[in-house]
Amino acid sequence: MDIEGNKNMCGIFGCFLKNEKAAPVIHSSLKRLEYRGYDSVGIATLFDGAVFLKKGQGNIDEVHKSLDLDDLPGNIGIGHTRWATHGAPLQVNSHPHSDCTGKIAVVHNGIIENFNDLKLELQNLGHTFVSKTDTEVISHLIEEVMKSKPSFSFADAVQEATKRLEGSFAIAAISSHEPDKIICARNESPLVLGINDNTGDVYCASDITAFLLLTNRVVIINNGELVVLTAEGYLIKKIRDNSLIERVPEIFQWTAEMAVKQGYPHFMIKEIHEQPEVLRNTLRLQDHYLDLMSTFLDRATEIFLVACGTSYHACLAASYMFSKIAFLPTYPVYASEFIEQYGKSVNIDSTILAVSQSGETADTIAAVTCAQQRAATILSLTNAIGSTLTRISRVYIGTQAGPEIGVAATKTFISQLSVLAQLALRLAKKRGKVSQDEIDTTEEQLDKLPEIVNSIVKTQEDKAKQIAHKYAKSNIFFFLGRGISTATAFEGRLKLMEIAYIPSLAFPAGESKHGPISLIEHGIPVVFVCQKDDTYKTAISNIIEMKTRGAKILAIIEEDDDEVKALADDYLEVPKNIPGVLSPIPFTIPLQLLAYYMALEHNCNPDMPRNLAKSVTVK
Ligand code: F6R
C-alpha cells in the first residue's frame, strides 16, 4: 500500500465525533503530527451554531499551557500545527484562519502560489486581511463565494474557491453556516481520512500518524478531490466536475513509529525521498522575494556567503553559480572563521548572505552579528522562519523544506541549492552577461529537477546499496570533483563521514596531486563527481591519475558518459544534459544514498550520528 511522504510543512487534522468533545482529540492528534512543524498551533470547533477558535505562537505544549487547547466546546473541529512558509510564526499567522465574519475557519497545508493576486482581488471587494499568510485568502474566498452565490452550500463554496487556487493544498474547513460538517480538499499536499467503525467517528489529516491510535481504516484522498465529513460518514467528489467517487477504507498495519516515518526505516531515507517534493516547493517561491534579494546582491560591492557544514557547501556551490551565469564574484566563508578572517575588514559596503537550515547555528549568528555591527547588509536563507537569523536579516528567504529530523542535512541542502540557483538566474537576467538561450535552458532544466531527482532516487537506490556493500570494508574514501562539483564532492564526503564514521578526504581534483595523492594505494576508493561541463576533460585526466596508482574509481556521472564508464570500477548515474550550475542538485542524491547505505552496512543509526546535534548552538 502506497502513501506519500511529507509533501511539505505543517500538519492538519479534523474530526467529526459522535459522543466526545473534539478539542482534546484534535490536541492529541496534532501532537502526533508535530514532527511536520511546531512553530505555532491552533484549533477551531463548532458548537451551538458558532465557531470557537484558539491559536498561538509556540509548540503545542507551550500554547496549550497558556490557552488550554482542550477547553473548546463541540464535537466537530479542525486543527493545525505549523511550520511557517508565509509570514513569521506569530499568533496572527497561526491557523485556523477566519473570514471577515468569523463564521468560517480554515486550516491548510501547502503553498498557494497566486495568493497575492487573490488577496488584492478580495481586498478590492472589501475583505480585510489580518495575517501575512497565503492561507487567509482561502477563508475569504469561501466567504466571497457564499456571499455572491447564496444558493451555494458550504461544500459548493469550498469547491468553487479551490478552483481558483494555484499551488498545493490540503485544507479542512468548517463554518457556522452549516455546523454539521467538515469540508476537505486536496491538491498535491497529502490528505487522508480515518474511519473508526467502533465509534462511528471520522477523521481527516495530513497523514495517518494523526489518528493511527484511534483507527487503522484509512481512505486516501487524491489530487483534485473534495470530501464532506458528516455524522453519516464521508462523501468524496471530484472538484472539477462534481462526480461522486466511491472508495472503501484500506487497512494499515503500521505501528505509530512506522507511521511517523511513513513506512521508511529512518528519517534520513524518508527525507531523501522527499526531495522531489521539496524542490517543487522551492520552485513555488514568490517572485518578489527572489527579486528583492537579487537586487541587494546585484548592488553589493562585496558579498560573503557565510555558513557552516552542509550549508557551507551550498555556499561554495553558489559561488560557482553566481560567477558562472551572473558574473558576480562572491566569497564563501566558514562562519566559524569569518570573524578572524574578515571581522575587521567587513564594512557598510559589505553584504553577507548567510545560509543556515536551523537559523540558530552559533557560529553563523556570531559572524552575522559581527558584520551587522559593522553596518554590513545582512541577507539570509533559512529553513526556520522566525529563527534568530531571520530576525537579524534585512531580507530572508525560507527554503521550504519542512522540518528535517535526520541530523544529517539532506533535503534542506537540496532546497538551499535550488533557492541559490534561482537567485543566480535572477542575477543573470539582471546583469545580462550570458545569452538568453543559456538562461532559458537553465530555467527549463531547473523546472525539471523535481522529476530528475525523483528518477535518480528510483533508479539509483538499489545500486547505491550494492556499492555500499561492496566497499563496506574500505577504511578510507577520497572524494574529488572539479569546478562546481568540488562542492558536491565535499558534501558527499561529509555525509559519509558523519553518519558511517569512515575517515574520508575531499579535494578539488586539481589539488590532489599537490599532496593528497601520496595516500593513494591499491584498492582505495576514489569517488569522482564528474559532470559534463568545461571541467570534464581535465577531470578525466585526474581519474586516470588515480586509476594508474591503483585506486578504485567510483564515479558519479551522467547516464551517457561512456568514457568515464569505461574507466570506472563502479558508477552511479544521473540523467544527461544537466547544466553545470545545477549539477550539485542531482549529483548529490547518489552520494546521500551511498552514505545512508554505508551507515547501515556499519550498523550505525544514520538519524542520530554520535556527537552531533541538529542545531549547533555553541561555538
Ligand atoms: C551536516 C549538517 C551540519 C549542518 C551545520 C550547519 O549534515 O547537518 O553540517 O549543515 O551544522 O547547520 P545550519 O544549516 O542549521 O546552520
Side-chain angles (χ1 to χ4, degrees), residues 412-428:
T412 54
F413 178 59
I414 294 303
S415 67
Q416 289 167 347
L417 290 172
S418 166
V419 177
L420 289 161
Q422 291 180 65
L423 280 172
L425 273 162
R426 296 278 148 150
L427 282 159

Side-chain angles (χ1 to χ4, degrees), residues 142-163:
I142 299 171
E143 178 193 7
E144 187 56 36
V145 178
M146 294 197 84
K147 209 158 62 183
S148 58
K149 302 199 166 151
S151 63
F152 270 33
S153 68
F154 180 48
D156 295 339
V158 175
Q159 185 171 2
E160 200 62 16
T162 54
K163 287 182 185 163

Side-chain angles (χ1 to χ4, degrees), residues 308-311 355-359 361 364 407-409 416 494-495 498 614 616:
C308 297
T310 289
S311 297
V355 178
S356 171
Q357 183 285 126
S358 60
T361 300
T364 308
V407 164
Q416 289 167 347
L494 177 61
K495 286 289 92 89
E498 70 177 330
K614 187 72 193 155
V616 184

Side-chain angles (χ1 to χ4, degrees), residues 418-487:
S418 166
V419 177
L420 289 161
Q422 291 180 65
L423 280 172
L425 273 162
R426 296 278 148 150
L427 282 159
K429 283 186 200 160
K430 271 191 207 304
R431 296 166 78 86
K433 300 264 172 70
V434 293
S435 69
Q436 191 57 41
D437 246 21
E438 186 173 345
I439 292 179
D440 291 347
T441 319
T442 314
E443 274 183 337
E444 268 167 37
Q445 293 298 319
L446 184 72
D447 287 342
K448 286 190 192 149
L449 278 175
E451 261 326 296
I452 291 173
V453 168
N454 192 29
S455 80
I456 300 170
V457 177
K458 284 215 167 97
T459 59
Q460 303 304 297
E461 185 165 0
D462 278 348
K463 270 174 83 182
K465 194 171 171 177
Q466 285 160 21
I467 292 176
H469 183 66
K470 180 170 167 187
Y471 290 91
K473 299 248 156 28
S474 304
N475 49 18
I476 182 166
F477 274 74
F478 263 60
F479 286 80
L480 299 178
R482 285 194 89 94
I484 196 166
S485 285
T486 305

Side-chain angles (χ1 to χ4, degrees), residues 302-522:
E302 61 174 6
I303 301 169
F304 296 101
L305 308 175
V306 179
C308 297
T310 289
S311 297
Y312 169 78
H313 299 150
C315 290
L316 186 59
S319 66
Y320 290 88
M321 294 173 185
F322 291 152
S323 174
K324 284 181 96 67
I325 57 172
F327 290 59
L328 180 73
T330 54
Y331 307 101
V333 192
Y334 286 111
S336 54
E337 287 300 314
F338 181 81
I339 297 176
E340 280 302 308
Q341 212 172 350
Y342 298 107
K344 291 267 161 54
S345 59
V346 70
N347 61 53
I348 193 163
D349 293 324
S350 314
T351 296
I352 311 294
L353 173 55
V355 178
S356 171
Q357 183 285 126
S358 60
E360 301 292 351
T361 300
D363 284 314
T364 308
I365 301 299
V368 168
T369 309
C370 157
Q372 193 186 37
Q373 281 159 359
R374 296 183 60 87
T377 303
I378 311 298
L379 314 174
S380 66
L381 299 192
T382 179
N383 198 39
I385 296 186
S387 58
T388 307
L389 189 57
T390 59
R391 293 199 294 274
I392 52 183
S393 300
R394 177 100 179 255
V395 179
Y396 62 84
I397 294 183
T399 47
Q400 315 284 334
E404 186 173 62
I405 307 218
V407 164
T410 52
K411 62 175 182 169
T412 54
F413 178 59
I414 294 303
S415 67
Q416 289 167 347
L417 290 172
S418 166
V419 177
L420 289 161
Q422 291 180 65
L423 280 172
L425 273 162
R426 296 278 148 150
L427 282 159
K429 283 186 200 160
K430 271 191 207 304
R431 296 166 78 86
K433 300 264 172 70
V434 293
S435 69
Q436 191 57 41
D437 246 21
E438 186 173 345
I439 292 179
D440 291 347
T441 319
T442 314
E443 274 183 337
E444 268 167 37
Q445 293 298 319
L446 184 72
D447 287 342
K448 286 190 192 149
L449 278 175
E451 261 326 296
I452 291 173
V453 168
N454 192 29
S455 80
I456 300 170
V457 177
K458 284 215 167 97
T459 59
Q460 303 304 297
E461 185 165 0
D462 278 348
K463 270 174 83 182
K465 194 171 171 177
Q466 285 160 21
I467 292 176
H469 183 66
K470 180 170 167 187
Y471 290 91
K473 299 248 156 28
S474 304
N475 49 18
I476 182 166
F477 274 74
F478 263 60
F479 286 80
L480 299 178
R482 285 194 89 94
I484 196 166
S485 285
T486 305
T488 316
F490 279 20
E491 176 58 10
R493 172 250 195 171
L494 177 61
K495 286 289 92 89
L496 183 72
M497 224 170 45
E498 70 177 330
I499 64 168
Y501 314 142
I502 304 176
S504 309
L505 300 165
F507 290 96
E511 270 297 298
S512 59
K513 56 182 160 304
H514 299 286
I517 202 165
S518 65
L519 277 176
I520 296 294
E521 50 186 52
H522 191 77

